[in-house]
């Protein structure tokens, strides 16, 4: 598997979160990225997460997407 489909999914999720923040007049100061192997696959259940602190509180879509992608790269393992 490659990182690309996961990166796209994380980017979309972060974009939607940014829209919700904007609609609420809110900001974020960190981004939590969580991945989990399928419950239906063979082997042990594997999950990872990371909290990515932002340099400043923001609701900016590009900042949230960048942080989410950085978090994904930090926790992603092939296979």
């Amino acid at each position: 598997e490659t990182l690309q489909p996961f990166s796209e999914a994380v980017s979309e999720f972060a974009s939607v979160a940014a829209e919700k923040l904007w609609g609420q007049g809110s900001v974020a100061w960190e981004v939590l990225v969580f991945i989990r192997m399928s419950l239906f696959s063979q082997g042990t259940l594997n999950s990872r997460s990371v909290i990515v602190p932002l340099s400043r509180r923001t609701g900016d879509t590009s900042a949230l997407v960048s942080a989410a992608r950085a978090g994904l790269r930090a926790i992603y393992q092939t296979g």
Side-chain angles (χ1 to χ4, degrees):
E1 290 183 46
T2 67
L3 185 63
Q4 184 62 29
F6 300 108
S7 183
E8 290 174 8
V10 164
S11 297
E12 177 65 23
F13 192 88
S15 295
V16 170
E19 288 179 26
K20 288 183 179 183
L21 285 171
W22 180 81
Q24 297 173 356
S26 300
V27 293
W29 58 90
E30 60 190 14
V31 174
L32 169 67
V33 181
F34 180 89
I35 57 175
R36 182 176 66 185
M37 183 173 68
S38 171
L39 294 173
F40 302 105
S41 65
Q42 299 297 322
T44 60
L45 183 61
N46 185 18
S47 64
R48 293 178 170 264
S49 65
V50 64
I51 295 174
V52 181
L54 301 171
S55 58
R56 62 180 173 83
R57 293 178 182 211
T58 186
D60 180 63
T61 301
S62 63
L64 295 175
V65 168
S66 293
R69 285 180 174 174
L72 178 64
R73 285 190 301 272
I75 61 176
Y76 180 77
Q77 294 180 338
T78 58

